[in-house]
Amino acid sequence: EVQLVESGGGLVQPGGSLRLSCAASGFTVSSNYMSWVRQAPGEGLEWVSVIYSGGSTYYTDSVKGRFTISRDNSKNTLYLQMNSLRADDTAVYYCARDRSNYWYFDLWGRGTLVTVSS
Amino acid sequence: EIVLTQSPGTLSLSPGERATLSCRASQSVSSSYLAWYQQKVGQAPRLLIYGASSRATGIPDRFSGSGSGTDFTLTISRLEPEDFAVYYCQQYGRSQYTFGQGTKLEIK
């Protein structure tokens, strides 16, 4: 079955760190453009970061220098390392697939909740 | 950065009626880079339309997309009870993806 399963969310204090994982099955992560998209409680969708099949990475301005997207090809898994977390990073984080040069997300995970609070 | 503005914020309609949702871009967007999603409470978004007017796999033909340049429209021809949800448009440009703020389609 083709699917994405996120994990690693939880409660973290402001200034803390967390690493999210997104395990893929039924397709190869490294052959696609993989993104993280987040949704704050009661709010809309916000794109966070992408890693292209060639390895280039891009971020939305609010997370540059704090978040790092990566992948482990041997595990077929996408990651998001989040450092210096702030209260406004609180959100459900989804991983999503863009099948390279399609420029839309055809597959989404169910999301993992990150709560930044003291 | 291209900003997408969706209108209306909330649309109240009855089952069987026609819904028209708008997405306006602050700069011209290639039609190839415009998509629409549906999101129900507690669920991940689901792709409805890509390339401005192509339906994704499994999407009923009552959903249609149109538009070009800066103005795009999602139309639901005859609302079914399961269509009441939040709808987002999305575009890609300069290595960035952006979403509109969403339109909530609620039962009148």
Side-chain angles (χ1 to χ4, degrees), chain B residues 38-56:
Chain B
Q38 176 193 67
Q39 187 180 34
K40 297 180 180 180
V41 174
Q43 296 184 17
R46 176 175 72 146
L47 177 68
L48 296 175
I49 301 288
Y50 63 92
S53 60
S54 297
R55 274 188 302 277

Side-chain angles (χ1 to χ4, degrees), chain A residues 14-108:
Chain A
S17 297
L18 212 54
R19 188 178 82 156
L20 306 184
S21 300
C22 172
S25 55
F27 72 97
T28 302
V29 163
S30 61
S31 298
N32 292 270
Y33 297 176
M34 299 298 298
S35 278
W36 289 96
V37 177
R38 68 184 178 182
Q39 187 170 36
E43 301 295 325
L45 302 170
E46 179 186 27
W47 172 78
V48 173
S49 179
V50 64
I51 182 166
Y52 290 157
S53 51
S56 298
T57 59
Y58 296 91
Y59 301 89
T60 193
D61 286 346
S62 63
V63 308
K64 283 180 183 175
R66 300 188 300 123
F67 290 11
T68 303
I69 191 171
S70 63
R71 67 190 182 211
D72 184 329
N73 296 343
S74 66
K75 296 182 178 179
N76 207 31
T77 298
L78 178 73
Y79 299 100
L80 186 68
Q81 177 67 44
M82 303 186 294
N83 299 330
S84 303
L85 283 161
R86 311 184 306 217
D88 62 359
D89 294 317
T90 295
V92 174
Y93 285 73
Y94 298 99
C95 60
R97 180 183 75 177
D98 169 350
R99 295 175 68 178
S100 300
N101 286 344
Y102 281 35
W103 313 121
Y104 56 82
F105 304 114
D106 71 326
L107 180 68
W108 296 70

Side-chain angles (χ1 to χ4, degrees), chain B residues 78-94:
Chain B
R78 291 175 309 281
L79 286 166
E80 297 288 343
E82 62 267 26
D83 297 338
F84 292 92
V86 180
Y87 292 83
Y88 296 95
C89 57
Q90 171 255 315
Q91 72 87 35
Y92 172 86
R94 295 186 179 183

Side-chain angles (χ1 to χ4, degrees), chain B residues 1-5 23-31 34 68-72 91-94 98:
Chain B
E1 176 190 338
I2 296 178
V3 176
L4 299 178
T5 301
C23 175
R24 179 162 291 176
S26 58
Q27 304 173 40
S28 184
V29 172
S30 168
S31 295
L34 197 288
S68 64
T70 61
D71 290 298
F72 297 88
Q91 72 87 35
Y92 172 86
R94 295 186 179 183
T98 55

